[in-house]
């Protein structure tokens, strides 16, 4: 519960609308949500009193000033824990997705011990920001791996060596906060939907180009999970029928050609001195035919996989996320060209392809946004 207000479905609807649309006037809210102006005025007053909304500025509407309402950053806070980085990062994030405090914690690989670490760090995190625990609505934890529909259990995480781990239960027992677990790429997609470029998009796909390749898809405003939680995981789409063995047991998966582990392994095997994608880009720019071939192959494989997502889902936007300091070299160019060349001409050029660098703290914001998303959908 927020302050003294018991939120109704209509309150959540208003908050979700503003979260997606940005600052909005009462009359526009009334028209878009289908309520009278008087009813909307009462509901927004309740949300203002609960500090979940605030008036940001005024606009002139038909000659009269109208106040714009936005989410109040100080009305609700969420904790995000990123298990993607080591040490793990824990952040306190406000209602608009800004970090207000952060603390690095041990990435303990014993799930119950980790819950204790998180619980011990919570008062430190809150103390740094001077925020009472009563304003924290929930916690999100992001991990690489497969997470169940309830966002409670980790079905399998190769990186953490976990299988069937009820982490949400452990963390909740220790912190008493509603806790939601989410996979890494899905975490970034939720964050992008709430606070990023996909804020006003109801259907989009996000690709995470990391050591492995992740993908997540919002379809009609819902994270599409599929029947078994593995929907749209493009890493193990076969891209080369005669390709290399993959860690999943198949051969020729996208992961064996275009993941950062694969690209760097192939570069080293071919005698290139490269620690990052950018190192290979520099070699390619200086004329290394090996570097050019590797980047071409990886960029076209990823582009081909993305073109198939566009053909299958026809999303409003694709966001390619990565860790690289630069993402404008041969790899990205070939990826873009391959996408354009392999979608139907009708779809060519109509799907914006955005790229975005992800830093350590983006994972913690993303984890918190998973809890924010649950809150806005009335699940807390
Ligand atoms: Zn595979």
């Amino acid at each position: 519960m927020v302050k003294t207000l018991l939120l109704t479905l209509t309150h959540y609807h208003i908050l979700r609308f503003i979260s997606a649309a940005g600052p909005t006037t009462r009359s526009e809210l009334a028209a878009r949500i289908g309520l009278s102006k008087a009813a909307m005025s009462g509901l927004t007053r309740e949300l203002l009193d609960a500090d979940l909304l605030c008036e940001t500025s005024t606009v002139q509407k038909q000659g009269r000033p109208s106040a714009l309402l936005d989410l109040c950053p100080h009305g609700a806070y969420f904790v995000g824990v990123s298990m993607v980085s080591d040490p793990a990062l824990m952040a306190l994030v406000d209602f608009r997705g800004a970090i207000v405090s952060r603390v690095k914690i041990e990435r303990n690989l014993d799930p119950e011990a980790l819950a204790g670490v998180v619980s011990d760090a919570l008062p430190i995190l809150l103390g740094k920001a001077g925020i009472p625990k009563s304003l924290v609505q929930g916690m999100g934890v992001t991990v690489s791996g497969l997470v169940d529909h309830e966002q409670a259990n980790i079905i399998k995480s190769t990186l953490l060596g976990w299988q069937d781990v009820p982490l949400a239960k452990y963390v909740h027992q220790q912190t008493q906060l509603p806790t939601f677990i989410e996979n890494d790429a899905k975490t970034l997609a939720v964050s992008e939907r709430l606070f990023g470029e996909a804020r006003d998009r109801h259907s989009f796909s996000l690709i995470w180009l990391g050591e492995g390749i992740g993908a997540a898809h919002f379809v009609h405003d819902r994270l599409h999970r599929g029947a078994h939680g593995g929907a749209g995981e493009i890493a193990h789409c076969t891209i080369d029928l005669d390709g290399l063995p993959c860690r999943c047991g198949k051969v020729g998966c996208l992961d064996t050609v275009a993941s950062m582990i694969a690209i760097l392994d192939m570069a080293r095997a071919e005698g290139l001195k490269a620690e990052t994608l950018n190192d290979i880009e520099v070699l390619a720019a200086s004329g290394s035919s090996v570097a050019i071939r590797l980047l071409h192959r990886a960029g076209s494989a990823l582009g081909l996989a993305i073109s198939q997502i566009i053909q299958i889902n026809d999303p409003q936007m694709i966001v390619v996320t990565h860790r690289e300091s630069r993402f404008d070299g041969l790899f990205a160019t070939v990826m873009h060209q391959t996408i354009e060349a392999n979608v139907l001409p009708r779809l060519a050029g109509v799907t914006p392809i955005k790229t975005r660098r992800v830093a350590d703290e983006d994972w913690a914001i993303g984890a918190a946004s998973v809890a924010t998303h649950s809150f806005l959908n009335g699940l807390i």
Side-chain angles (χ1 to χ4, degrees):
M1 196 164 95
V2 178
K3 278 203 168 176
T4 56
L5 178 63
L6 189 60
L7 293 167
T8 64
L9 290 177
T10 315
H11 287 127
Y12 287 120
H13 194 169
I14 293 167
L15 293 173
R16 281 199 303 277
F17 185 90
I18 295 176
S19 169
T24 310
T25 63
R26 288 175 180 79
S27 53
E28 190 180 349
L29 276 172
R32 297 293 294 270
I33 292 180
L35 290 170
S36 69
K37 285 185 185 176
M40 185 54 72
S41 180
L43 289 163
T44 52
R45 168 49 51 202
E46 289 168 353
L47 291 168
L48 284 159
D49 288 344
D51 283 344
L52 291 175
L53 289 182
C54 55
E55 293 187 348
T56 54
S57 58
T58 55
V59 289
Q60 291 293 327
K61 289 263 176 173
Q62 294 162 346
R64 295 174 51 200
S66 279
L68 286 169
L69 299 173
D70 199 358
L71 300 184
C72 175
H74 317 301
Y77 291 86
F78 301 86
V79 174
V81 178
S82 166
M83 291 290 284
V84 175
S85 45
D86 188 9
L89 183 62
M90 189 165 166
L92 184 65
V93 174
D94 72 21
F95 202 15
R96 286 198 211 152
I99 290 186
V100 291
S101 64
R102 75 203 80 196
V103 58
K104 286 183 179 174
I105 58 171
E106 178 196 359
R107 190 168 80 169
N108 197 309
L109 296 181
D110 175 336
E112 292 189 83
L114 174 72
V117 170
V118 168
S119 174
D120 290 346
L122 185 59
I124 300 167
L125 190 71
L126 295 172
K128 283 173 100 172
I131 301 296
K133 190 181 174 190
S134 59
L135 283 179
V136 179
Q137 300 299 322
M139 183 182 311
V141 183
T142 185
V143 299
S144 72
L146 201 56
V147 174
D148 72 353
H149 269 77
E150 283 72 39
Q151 297 172 263
N153 304 303
I154 294 156
I155 298 168
K156 185 172 175 60
S157 171
T158 307
L159 181 70
L160 300 172
W162 290 350
Q163 189 152 356
D164 298 322
V165 171
L167 187 64
K169 184 180 83 177
Y170 295 151
V171 174
H172 180 254
Q173 280 171 348
Q174 295 267 357
T175 64
Q176 306 309 311
L177 288 176
T179 302
F180 302 85
I181 315 297
E182 193 53 282
N183 149 278
D184 50 11
K186 289 187 176 72
T187 294
L188 290 181
V190 170
S191 183
E192 204 65 38
R193 175 69 183 81
L194 285 187
F195 307 123
E197 295 213 48
R199 193 170 164 178
D200 57 351
R201 309 295 174 107
H202 55 75
S203 296
F204 71 97
S205 291
L206 179 138
I207 314 298
W208 160 235
L209 176 63
E211 291 186 341
I213 295 173
H217 314 275
F218 263 86
V219 179
H220 298 309
D221 253 344
R222 286 184 175 274
L223 204 48
H224 180 54
R225 296 178 186 277
H228 311 96
E233 283 290 348
I234 60 169
H236 301 286
C237 287
T238 306
I239 211 93
D240 181 355
L241 287 169
D242 302 315
L244 295 170
C246 179
R247 57 198 162 102
C248 73
K250 304 198 301 148
V251 294
C253 296
L254 178 65
D255 211 63
T256 66
V257 179
S259 68
M260 289 314 304
I261 280 188
I263 295 170
L264 292 171
D265 279 355
M266 285 186 286
R268 290 187 203 104
E270 300 237 26
L272 299 184
K273 285 203 171 103
E275 300 294 326
T276 65
L277 181 66
N278 196 47
D279 292 343
I280 308 176
E281 292 281 4
V282 169
L283 291 167
S286 65
S288 162
S289 59
V290 173
I292 291 170
R293 174 164 49 79
L294 283 178
L295 293 175
H296 221 277
R297 185 158 179 261
S300 58
L302 184 59
L304 199 54
I306 292 173
S307 72
Q308 290 170 11
I309 289 173
I310 293 173
Q311 286 298 142
I312 293 166
N313 285 343
D314 188 13
Q316 292 172 294
M317 181 169 76
I318 300 276
V319 186
V320 179
T321 54
H322 59 86
R323 272 193 194 280
E324 304 305 311
S325 55
R326 294 193 62 176
F327 199 71
D328 56 357
L330 184 60
F331 179 91
T333 303
V334 172
M335 179 191 80
H336 284 288
Q337 287 172 343
T338 308
I339 295 168
E340 289 301 296
N342 288 281
V343 293
L344 273 177
R346 185 173 63 81
L347 292 174
V350 302
T351 313
I353 314 289
K354 308 274 185 181
T355 61
R356 187 164 80 80
R357 186 183 189 200
V358 177
D360 280 351
E361 62 180 40
D362 292 316
W363 291 107
I365 293 173
S369 77
V370 169
T372 313
H373 188 251
S374 296
F375 174 77
L376 287 170
N377 283 283
L379 299 175
I380 292 178

